[in-house]
Amino acid sequence: MAYWHGIDYLESIMMEWKQPAIDSTHSLFESQKTTAQQWRRSSLQERIDRIAKIRSWVKQNQKEIRLALWNDFQKSEVETDLSEIYPITTEINHTIKNLKSWMKPKAVPTPLAMMGTKAFVHAEPKGRTLIISPWNYPFNLAIGPLISALAAGCTAIIKPSEMTPHTSGLIEKMILDLFETSEVAVVQGDAKTSQELLELPFDHIFFTGSPQVGKIIMGEAAKNLSSVTLELGGKSPTLIGPSADIKDAASKIIYGKLINCGQTCVAPDYLLVHESIKDRLLDELKIAIQQQFDPDYKGIENSKDLTKVVNDKHFRRLDNLLENALNLGAKLEFGGKRIPNHRFFEPTLLSLITESMDLAHEEIFGPILPILSYTDLDQAIDYINSKPKPLALYIFSQDKEETNLVLEETSSGNVVINDCVLHFMHQELPFGGVNTSGIGKSHGYYGFLAFSNEKGVLKQRIGFNNASLLRPPYGTKTKQIINSLIKWF
Ligand code: NAD
């Protein structure tokens, strides 16, 4: 694939890129105030039109999106189409199809004590929103939340990741092509820019990134009592029980682990495999790596399908994780080859893992897969529960009882049985974490709700009604009514 020589002005945006002045972010925020007020009354069709123009732009600029991702970290065309473009087009299609019913006020039943009233839940736009996104799926994770914001009727300022300048530049161009800055705007920059934006009293902040930065975001949001959605990360365990189809599991685990070179928030972080099938699983994992990334035995480093590590800083981080584990006694079962100047990191399988190793605690976020074993399911469940609650938990098992036990006894944002990672693409499921792995949910209806205030509305009749009986002066009758309310309702 050719490197990107095409869009010169984009290069110039990046060459001249500077931290935006605080004044300009303030005035940008101010400029969205009137729009946010006008958009409160925007019709279904107006919201659909705003979302549909993103779909047209994406379709017309698919080539540019692929090139930006290739330039940022040599992400293959197929993976870009699947993990950056398809999630956006399908999210748009799903939103357009369902927005009418999402926007419709939802009537709620009337309790006996409230007889004579009517009530409904009205999803109103929260208003001015901020979207801060990470580098690992830089297009998908900036534009996905924007679709939810627009569906809910909100304005947005997007702060994309500074680590993927080509994609962030393209996002800025897209937004400038499609929206007035008083509607949707992109502010480029690093943590400092983020922090300047966080001083503003946004009505909602949607952050995707690491748990460490998530804590900072929540702390800043608290100063304005802005609501937050925090889509964070962590260590997603993958449990492989003795009844699992080993070949099938190995192939799916390798795919889920190595898509985007392991730089995926929901990638299997480590395996917990039943001791009785550990050796067979290891063999099948090696075969799966070979089949998926080196079918012609030319060396995995020549694979066009394995994305590179995003930058030198992350390469060094992964290098340190691996060296630390090896120094502390981990066994290298497969891989380990590294070519720093190409940021190539070979898929690497490790066994003999101990808690003294850094990779037993840190989110790996790369192509290193530690393999731990267990003999008793309770022991495996205790291990999972000894760590912060994960974003995703994967179970490979054909034993219903075992699967149910893991579901009941562990907590995680999502669970996938007999596969991994796929749930991200399922628009009917809430996507997100729990505590350390995230707060709030996204995708489809759940994304729409994240940017909406669910306003409860009660409509009372004129004149006499049940509540009239409760007004002062409080006499015996009032007390009797209240007593029966407490007793019966
Ligand atoms: P990060 O937290 O370092 O950065 C995310 C964003 O926050 C960037 O735009 C960055 O500029 C900004 N930022 C960084 N430091 C900041 C600070 N001190 N104050 C304010 N803003 C700051 O995350 P990353 O390295 O870009 O992405 C990797 C992390 O994101 C992993 O932990 C991964 O699991 C997680 N992630 C989660 C999801 C999800 O949907 N739950 C998806 C992708 C990635």
Side-chain angles (χ1 to χ4, degrees):
M1 194 169 184
Y3 275 75
W4 188 7
H5 296 301
I7 304 170
D8 293 342
Y9 61 85
L10 247 186
E11 297 289 349
S12 68
I13 284 174
M14 287 175 310
M15 299 275 285
E16 288 171 18
W17 177 72
K18 291 183 197 115
Q19 300 281 357
I22 295 183
D23 276 357
S24 71
T25 54
H26 278 242
S27 55
L28 189 58
F29 182 67
E30 275 312 304
S31 77
Q32 294 200 342
K33 193 173 182 176
T34 313
T35 313
Q37 185 59 31
Q38 285 165 352
W39 279 14
R40 293 182 66 79
R41 283 186 289 120
S42 48
S43 65
L44 170 69
Q45 196 51 51
E46 284 167 334
R47 294 189 195 187
I48 288 177
D49 290 346
R50 283 173 210 140
I51 297 168
K53 62 185 178 183
I54 297 180
R55 180 173 56 193
S56 309
W57 194 97
V58 167
K59 284 186 177 163
Q60 277 163 21
N61 292 276
Q62 188 163 353
K63 218 167 133 192
E64 279 72 19
I65 298 170
R66 288 174 182 162
L67 286 166
L69 266 299
W70 176 262
N71 279 345
D72 279 330
F73 52 132
Q74 293 178 32
K75 188 160 172 164
S76 78
E77 221 173 272
V78 176
E79 279 196 13
T80 295
D81 286 357
L82 180 69
S83 65
E84 301 277 1
I85 295 175
Y86 166 70
I88 293 305
T89 53
T90 190
E91 180 80 13
I92 291 175
N93 295 340
H94 179 72
T95 302
I96 289 177
K97 193 168 148 213
N98 294 288
L99 190 53
K100 188 176 175 186
S101 79
W102 298 349
M103 283 173 69
K104 212 167 157 187
K106 310 268 180 301
V108 295
T110 308
L112 224 51
M114 293 277 168
M115 239 165 57
T117 67
K118 282 185 183 155
F120 54 92
V121 179
H122 175 87
E124 65 169 13
K126 280 190 176 167
R128 285 178 291 177
T129 68
L130 172 64
I131 297 168
I132 302 177
S133 55
W135 57 264
N136 64 328
Y137 290 91
F139 191 77
N140 175 354
L141 297 174
I143 305 307
L146 175 64
I147 295 161
S148 300
L150 295 173
C154 297
T155 62
I157 293 179
I158 305 172
K159 208 300 279 170
S161 176
E162 68 280 21
M163 302 260 196
T164 44
H166 292 87
T167 310
S168 296
L170 192 63
I171 290 170
E172 184 169 11
K173 174 182 162 19
M174 176 178 98
I175 297 301
L176 281 170
D177 281 356
L178 300 180
F179 296 97
E180 299 295 327
T181 54
S182 59
E183 300 172 336
V184 181
V186 172
V187 174
Q188 295 218 50
D190 55 16
K192 193 164 168 275
T193 306
S194 235
Q195 280 170 1
E196 283 164 14
L197 285 164
L198 286 165
E199 286 171 15
L200 301 166
F202 282 97
D203 297 304
H204 189 71
I205 298 170
F206 190 108
F207 170 79
T208 309
S210 60
Q212 296 84 333
V213 178
K215 288 177 190 169
I216 298 172
I217 304 289
M218 196 162 172
E220 293 302 314
K223 292 179 188 162
N224 291 309
L225 289 178
S226 303
S227 59
V228 289
T229 302
L230 302 176
E231 289 288 352
L232 310 177
K235 296 180 77 63
S236 296
T238 302
L239 193 136
I240 306 111
S243 66
D245 181 320
I246 299 172
K247 197 178 179 62
D248 181 75
S251 171
K252 289 167 175 169
I253 291 167
I254 289 305
Y255 177 70
K257 178 70 184 179
L258 295 180
I259 185 169
N260 213 29
C261 196
Q263 302 167 118
T264 302
C265 54
V266 286
D269 186 89
Y270 63 93
L271 305 189
L272 268 172
V273 54
H274 193 268
E275 185 61 37
S276 62
I277 56 165
K278 185 183 151 210
D279 291 342
R280 277 162 55 215
L281 180 75
L282 252 170
D283 289 344
E284 291 296 344
L285 289 169
K286 292 174 197 169
I287 292 169
I289 296 173
Q290 195 72 44
Q291 284 175 343
Q292 291 180 33
F293 294 96
D294 193 18
D296 304 325
Y297 293 89
K298 288 181 178 162
I300 299 176
E301 62 270 34
N302 296 312
S303 171
K304 295 261 183 298
D305 297 331
L306 187 70
T307 302
K308 298 292 180 287
V309 175
V310 70
N311 57 29
D312 293 338
K313 184 178 150 211
H314 278 279
F315 191 89
R316 280 194 300 276
R317 182 185 63 79
L318 287 167
D319 198 52
N320 289 339
L321 276 183
L322 178 56
E323 287 305 324
N324 169 272
L326 293 174
N327 288 337
L328 291 170
K331 183 175 172 203
L332 184 65
E333 300 279 2
F334 185 91
K337 184 169 176 180
R338 285 148 279 174
I339 310 175
N341 53 345
H342 289 132
R343 297 198 308 276
F344 166 78
F345 206 111
E346 194 174 22
T348 299
L349 305 177
L350 295 176
S351 64
L352 300 182
I353 305 300
T354 63
E355 285 303 292
S356 61
M357 298 168 188
D358 291 342
L359 54 62
H361 310 282
E362 275 178 38
E363 179 181 4
I364 294 173
F365 221 58
I368 307 170
L369 185 58
I371 298 155
L372 289 78
S373 62
Y374 70 92
T375 45
D376 173 43
L377 187 59
D378 287 342
Q379 184 197 355
I381 290 173
D382 285 349
Y383 185 80
I384 293 169
N385 288 341
S386 71
K387 308 264 171 204
K389 293 172 193 168
L391 186 57
L393 189 152
Y394 305 120
I395 313 164
F396 287 87
S397 170
Q398 300 187 74
D399 179 339
K400 222 171 168 180
E401 222 171 278
E402 181 181 53
T403 308
N404 284 342
L405 195 73
V406 178
L407 269 176
E408 279 164 11
E409 298 213 351
T410 61
S411 177
S412 58
N414 291 92
V415 168
V416 182
I417 301 160
N418 290 321
D419 212 325
C420 52
V421 174
L422 274 193
H423 61 294
F424 186 90
M425 310 273 195
H426 198 307
Q427 297 104 4
E428 299 287 352
L429 279 176
F431 179 85
V434 48
N435 298 133
T436 317
S437 54
I439 291 177
K441 302 289 169 186
S442 59
H443 293 185
Y445 184 50
Y446 303 94
F448 169 83
L449 287 182
F451 286 92
S452 302
N453 171 37
E454 289 170 87
K455 186 158 71 178
V457 181
L458 179 82
K459 194 172 175 205
Q460 178 64 289
R461 55 190 291 187
I462 306 289
F464 179 79
N465 57 64
N466 285 357
S468 323
L469 299 170
L470 303 172
R471 289 185 201 139
Y474 300 131
T476 322
K477 237 198 171 99
T478 327
K479 285 182 190 160
Q480 279 170 351
I481 293 170
I482 293 172
N483 281 343
S484 55
L485 278 178
I486 293 169
K487 195 163 177 193
W488 302 110
F489 299 104

